[in-house]
Amino acid sequence: LLGMGAFGLREGAARHVFPDGEGEARYASIATLVGAYTEPNAVVLASMHAGPIRYYGGRATLRFDVLDEGWLDRAVDWFVARGRHPYLAIEDWEVRSFTTRFGGRSRVGDLRLAPTLAYRGYRTSGTFYLYDLLRADGPTLEPPPQRVIRPRATRPAPIPSL
């Protein structure tokens, strides 16, 4: 029985069941950061991170990848008129598709904004950016990556108000 247990642990490690670094916990880490750096009334436009930001960050989200190409400015204006602060959460590999879709059609579609937050996870590829769609410039916070994820299971945030 001990031999089977040792074999299972060795095989699990060989198949990266116990990843070194953030791995998929990166999504919860990013969502928690977004929840900490945005107001409770924020609405975050996102694609890959829409679900985790809503679940772990407790912020209302809108999927920009399904938003009509001509509606980005209208959506931002609509949120602002209702007292909601709009942000954009985007991975570096999503930037090209975002700017292709909205660039030239929207005042923020070219992403000529300074990101509010830039996060690169520990032993993960790519960089995550959070843009404040009401702020063109300013400092960019770069929190350090989390080398050890504690707790291993991130608790969900309270459900965001709509």
Side-chain angles (χ1 to χ4, degrees):
L1 191 58
L2 289 174
M4 288 176 58
F7 174 78
L9 288 173
R10 187 176 56 126
E11 278 297 305
R15 295 176 188 226
H16 305 289
V17 172
F18 315 109
D20 181 27
E22 281 187 286
E24 294 300 310
R26 178 175 188 264
Y27 293 100
S29 298
I30 288 169
T32 303
L33 285 170
V34 169
Y37 286 103
T38 60
E39 306 86 352
N41 69 337
V43 175
V44 182
L45 283 74
S47 178
M48 281 294 296
H49 293 276
I53 288 171
R54 185 177 198 79
Y55 188 75
Y56 296 113
R59 297 297 179 258
T61 58
L62 174 69
R63 296 264 314 267
F64 68 73
D65 56 331
V66 295
L67 184 65
D68 185 271
E69 297 164 352
W71 276 75
L72 182 60
D73 286 344
R74 290 184 222 173
V76 169
D77 293 341
W78 192 86
F79 290 130
V80 170
R82 282 150 185 83
R84 306 302 292 261
H85 194 137
Y87 290 88
L88 172 68
I90 195 165
E91 292 273 353
D92 54 2
W93 59 268
E94 295 176 299
V95 169
R96 184 171 183 200
S97 65
F98 182 88
T99 56
T100 299
R101 183 180 185 95
F102 297 111
R105 294 180 188 89
S106 164
R107 64 182 176 269
V108 294
D110 293 324
L111 286 184
R112 292 188 183 137
L113 310 167
T116 301
L117 179 72
Y119 181 75
R120 187 169 182 82
Y122 179 66
R123 291 195 177 181
T124 59
S125 62
T127 304
F128 166 83
Y129 298 102
L130 179 69
Y131 290 93
D132 181 340
L133 296 180
L134 301 180
R135 185 193 80 160
D137 57 0
T140 300
L141 301 170
E142 295 184 34
Q146 296 185 23
R147 291 180 171 228
V148 178
I149 305 299
R150 293 285 184 253
R152 290 296 281 176
T154 306
R155 298 181 67 87
I159 298 170
S161 65
L162 301 175

